[in-house]
Amino acid sequence: MSNNKGAMTEKGREALERFKMESANELGINLKQGYNGDLTSREAGSIGGSMVNMMCPEQQWRIPRNSVRSKGHKVVYTYYMQVGI
């Protein structure tokens, strides 16, 4: 067993870097290799938020039910769920 619990492998680091670059590219933010200290907080947060949304997509269910108060009418309930890994 390895004592490096939580340590990231080089392959994992490279995959995460590619994923970050793809997310930034989709948002129209120009990232360069290495330090990107010239990014605004909004840009950096947008990249991270985009990555989280891709890893943990939100699910939505719309469930129509008969209304208890108005006979013959339907009420639609919408449920949102996001599952984290």
Side-chain angles (χ1 to χ4, degrees):
M1 298 238 17
S2 173
N3 288 343
N4 295 334
K5 183 177 181 180
M8 188 179 286
T9 65
E10 190 59 34
K11 278 185 172 182
R13 193 178 322 278
E14 290 170 3
L16 193 57
E17 189 65 26
R18 280 193 310 273
F19 185 37
K20 180 173 67 173
M21 292 297 208
E22 289 171 12
S23 295
N25 192 25
E26 287 180 11
L27 294 170
I29 299 171
N30 294 322
L31 281 184
K32 53 189 176 284
Q33 292 294 331
Y35 183 69
N36 285 285
D38 57 336
L39 291 179
T40 66
S41 296
R42 172 169 279 193
E43 290 172 325
S46 295
I47 295 168
S50 174
M51 292 171 69
V52 169
N53 286 336
M54 286 185 213
M55 288 186 285
C56 307
E58 181 178 271
Q59 298 292 320
Q60 180 183 55
W61 291 280
R62 300 183 131 243
I63 302 171
R65 303 183 113 180
N66 291 327
S67 175
V68 176
R69 295 188 179 137
S70 301
K71 194 168 187 159
H73 289 89
K74 295 242 182 224
V75 177
V76 176
Y77 294 94
T78 304
Y79 297 93
Y80 296 95
M81 184 176 84
Q82 189 165 17
V83 178
I85 302 171

